[in-house]
Amino acid sequence: MTKTRVPPLDGLKRRMDRHRLGQATATNGHFVRETFCLSRPQAREKAKEWFDAFPKAAYWTEVESWRQLEGDQIEFTMRRLPTAD
């Protein structure tokens, strides 16, 4: 009876780590993203700041995702293009 030997996974782990590091340094989907966790009024103000600084028509600025947390806290991610070109 032949026993199947599992190959070492060190090489695969190193390749996955290198790939993830490369992905983190690349512009992830060519968008700039920033996540905030603020009170509801502060969240509205921060989103307004982004839309004022990076107009939607030029930068495709948007609230990518949001969720309400305990204590009237809002966690949200703003997304925009890096330049208006």
Side-chain angles (χ1 to χ4, degrees), residues 4-5 17 22 26 33 35-36 42-43 51 57 74 78 81:
T4 305
R5 193 173 143 243
D17 288 341
R33 290 177 174 87
T35 301
F36 303 94
Q42 291 172 327
F51 284 114
I74 306 294
M78 296 295 300
L81 289 173

Side-chain angles (χ1 to χ4, degrees), residues 23 26 35 50 62 66 80 83:
Q23 292 294 322
T35 301
W50 267 62
E62 71 175 28
W66 68 276
R80 68 173 175 85
T83 65

Side-chain angles (χ1 to χ4, degrees), residues 12-25:
L12 176 61
K13 288 178 185 176
R14 279 193 303 272
R15 285 181 35 213
M16 288 173 64
D17 288 341
R18 272 196 310 262
H19 176 75
R20 286 182 183 141
L21 181 60
Q23 292 294 322
T25 58

Side-chain angles (χ1 to χ4, degrees), residues 5 7-9 12 20 22-23 29 31 33 35 41-42 44 47 55-57 59 61 67 79 82 84:
R5 193 173 143 243
L9 298 177
L12 176 61
R20 286 182 183 141
Q23 292 294 322
F31 284 100
R33 290 177 174 87
T35 301
Q42 291 172 327
R44 284 186 178 140
K56 185 172 185 160
Y59 291 90
T61 304
R67 67 183 180 139
R79 179 184 90 172

